[in-house]
Amino acid sequence: VFMTSSRSQLEAKLAAARTRLILEQPFIGALVMHLPLRAADTNWCETTATDARAIHYNPAYICGLDLRQTQFVLAHEALHCALAHFARRSHRVKRRWDVACDYAVNLLLADEGLRPPPGALLNTAWRGLAAEDIYPLIAADTAERPLDLHLFDGDGGEGLPGLGLGEALPGALRERTAANQAGPAFLPESELGAESAAMASSGALERSAGRASPGSAVEVPPTGEDLATLWKTRLAAAAQQAAQAGRLPQSWLRALDLLIQPQLPWRALLARFLASVARDDYSFQRPSRREAEGTSAGSGQAILPRLASAGIEVVVALDTSGSIGEAELAEFGAEVDALKGQVRARVILHACDHALDPRGPWVFESWEPAVLPAELKGGGGTRFTPVFEWIERERRRPDLLIYFTDGEGEFPEREPGYPVVWLVKGRAPVPWGERIQLN
């Protein structure tokens, strides 16, 4: 009887947490509802875990949390999935990546007023940064541990072969879990509410077998389905529903735009913009006498259209205020050199911190290699206005201006009459023009 009562209380608590998320945080709540809740073997799961298909939880751990902390851990797992952390690790070391992902998720949830449990990683200095931006800030030999287990790389727990706990979680979590073994702590029925108790008793929560109950709103992705695409669709749908109801926080809007829109490497985006301004078009201009010799065009016949290319002028500005490293400048310069030949671009290069480098500009014709100067002067504050003032003073109208920067500086008050692409290192916004994230 006690075991049945304990399980019933636990299920009611989880149901209450999900219900309150739906009512108080509908955007996050909608994401949580896509993940079945599965009680896990305590031998491998000390807290919670996710494989992007379900939330696995240690019953004793959940019993030791209050209702708001339970909301946090459910939302924590859902955001790992919605933000596709399982598909974004790439070459990065798993342990550092897991820690970076936890910092990113926990800051988002804390900013929404959710209460983190003991051991959650938080650093307000990293607010607004994505996991990719936080990763290089994590020490390679960090002793930090994520709040949960990330089962994204073929590891598994109950029914998922190959997982062992491996490394200990933070001491506070271990002590909390050990204390829970002595006796589970449950919320009073009065705090759970009649609606949550009804959800638990009607079978809205999944049992340890891990299968959704008939008629449940929770869905389990089919094996082998593209989870990244699936979660991207779910994220967009949840955001749209919350926005229509006026319940999508402003802090999420820009982050969601970056996540939902197609993400391309900066090289591909830069190449696309250069190609878009290249003046390749069909021409009816009469060919030269040499070209016309031996052809019908020279004997009074009709002139057929032909593809003609005209060179373009691109101004490239390098932020030398000290935030851009030499390796990044060299990589950017090599990419510009590779692209300029493809679109027949004449490149005018400026280096600028708070003022233009007096040795510039450096001019490279389409047939010349664009090589960065051996030494670029800078290190002062950042002002973008000198480059735009130089263009106006010289009465130029470039086909494109590419500014390589961290985005922190003084912008011109008005947008110029020519296209501007900002290749930005970091998360700073730009007031106008096209922004490409350096990734």
Side-chain angles (χ1 to χ4, degrees):
V1 174
F2 174 78
M3 291 297 294
T4 302
S5 175
S6 298
R7 189 177 72 173
S8 176
Q9 286 274 6
L10 177 61
E11 292 176 345
K13 182 178 185 178
L14 289 168
R18 291 209 301 189
T19 300
R20 292 195 180 183
L21 278 175
I22 292 171
L23 296 176
E24 299 169 3
Q25 303 279 350
F27 168 62
I28 299 174
L31 298 173
V32 170
M33 290 302 292
H34 287 293
L35 292 165
L37 302 178
R38 299 177 178 175
D41 186 341
T42 58
N43 289 327
W44 66 264
C45 183
E46 287 198 42
T47 55
T48 57
T50 185
D51 56 357
R53 294 174 173 84
I55 295 176
H56 306 268
Y57 65 90
N58 182 325
Y61 174 72
I62 297 297
C63 288
L65 303 178
D66 62 30
L67 188 58
R68 291 185 62 190
Q69 291 170 336
T70 304
Q71 290 177 250
F72 187 100
V73 297
L74 295 182
H76 178 101
E77 303 299 352
L79 279 191
H80 276 317
C81 302
L83 300 179
H85 286 159
F86 55 88
R88 291 163 52 189
R89 181 164 72 92
S90 185
H91 61 282
R92 299 174 182 88
V93 177
K94 183 180 187 320
R95 181 167 158 187
R96 289 178 67 192
W97 174 247
D98 289 348
V99 169
C101 290
D102 258 39
Y103 271 115
V105 163
N106 292 341
L107 286 167
L108 288 171
L109 295 177
D111 286 346
E112 293 306 313
L114 296 176
R115 179 189 295 168
L121 300 174
L122 288 167
N123 185 340
T124 55
W126 296 344
R127 177 176 284 111
L129 298 183
E132 287 84 353
D133 302 314
I134 297 174
Y135 178 85
L137 305 176
I138 306 295
D141 58 348
T142 180
E144 296 175 310
R145 301 290 187 273
L147 181 67
D148 54 337
L149 293 176
H150 304 166
L151 314 179
F152 302 146
D153 295 300
D155 296 331
E158 203 171 43
L160 300 172
L163 180 75
L165 183 60
E167 299 170 308
L169 290 168
L173 288 182
R174 181 173 288 280
E175 293 171 7
R176 184 72 172 264
T177 302
N180 290 339
Q181 304 291 347
F186 298 109
L187 289 176
E189 290 284 353
S190 58
E191 286 193 41
L192 293 175
E195 181 180 4
S196 300
M199 285 181 64
S201 61
S202 66
L205 282 175
E206 295 67 42
R207 303 303 191 259
S208 299
R211 299 182 65 86
S213 303
S216 169
V218 179
E219 58 189 77
V220 181
T223 302
E225 188 166 356
D226 185 344
L227 286 177
T229 300
L230 177 63
W231 276 105
K232 191 173 183 179
T233 302
R234 289 172 174 174
L235 182 67
Q240 183 179 19
Q241 292 172 5
Q244 290 174 348
R247 301 291 301 277
L248 183 64
Q250 289 292 323
S251 59
W252 284 91
L253 291 177
R254 184 171 179 274
L256 290 174
D257 284 341
L258 292 173
L259 288 165
I260 293 172
Q261 292 176 359
Q263 301 295 302
L264 293 175
W266 66 268
R267 293 175 178 83
L269 290 171
L270 184 58
R272 187 184 73 181
F273 278 104
L274 277 170
S276 69
V277 299
R279 292 192 293 266
D280 288 349
D281 201 355
Y282 285 98
S283 172
F284 285 89
Q285 182 178 359
R286 183 180 295 276
S288 66
R289 180 174 301 176
R290 179 178 299 176
E291 292 176 317
E293 288 179 359
T295 68
S296 57
S299 56
Q301 299 296 324
I303 300 175
L304 298 176
R306 58 179 181 155
L307 190 62
S309 298
I312 63 173
E313 183 172 274
V314 177
V315 175
V316 175
L318 302 178
D319 179 353
T320 56
S321 60
S323 57
I324 306 295
E326 293 183 4
E328 292 162 321
L329 286 173
E331 185 179 9
F332 173 68
E335 194 65 26
V336 169
D337 181 53
L339 291 172
K340 66 183 284 294
Q342 299 176 21
V343 295
R344 293 187 59 195
R346 181 175 188 259
V347 170
I348 301 175
L349 176 67
H350 272 292
C352 181
D353 50 8
H354 67 282
L356 295 177
D357 189 320
R359 298 173 299 165
W362 297 268
V363 181
F364 307 97
E365 300 297 340
S366 60
W367 59 85
E368 295 178 317
V371 180
L372 297 186
E375 182 181 354
L376 292 171
K377 294 183 179 179
T382 305
R383 293 176 63 241
F384 306 123
T385 50
V387 175
F388 294 88
E389 291 169 351
W390 178 87
I391 293 174
E392 184 176 357
R393 187 168 58 250
E394 296 292 319
R395 296 186 178 182
R396 293 182 175 276
R397 189 177 179 84
D399 295 284
L400 181 66
L401 167 61
I402 304 172
Y403 214 123
F404 187 35
T405 177
D406 63 355
E408 302 283 354
E410 176 189 319
F411 290 87
E413 294 182 359
R414 293 181 299 176
E415 181 176 2
Y418 46 85
V420 179
V421 171
W422 304 90
L423 183 58
V424 181
K425 173 192 176 184
R427 309 301 293 181
V430 297
W432 34 258
E434 296 288 345
R435 185 187 187 282
I436 296 179
Q437 178 68 41
L438 180 66
N439 51 7

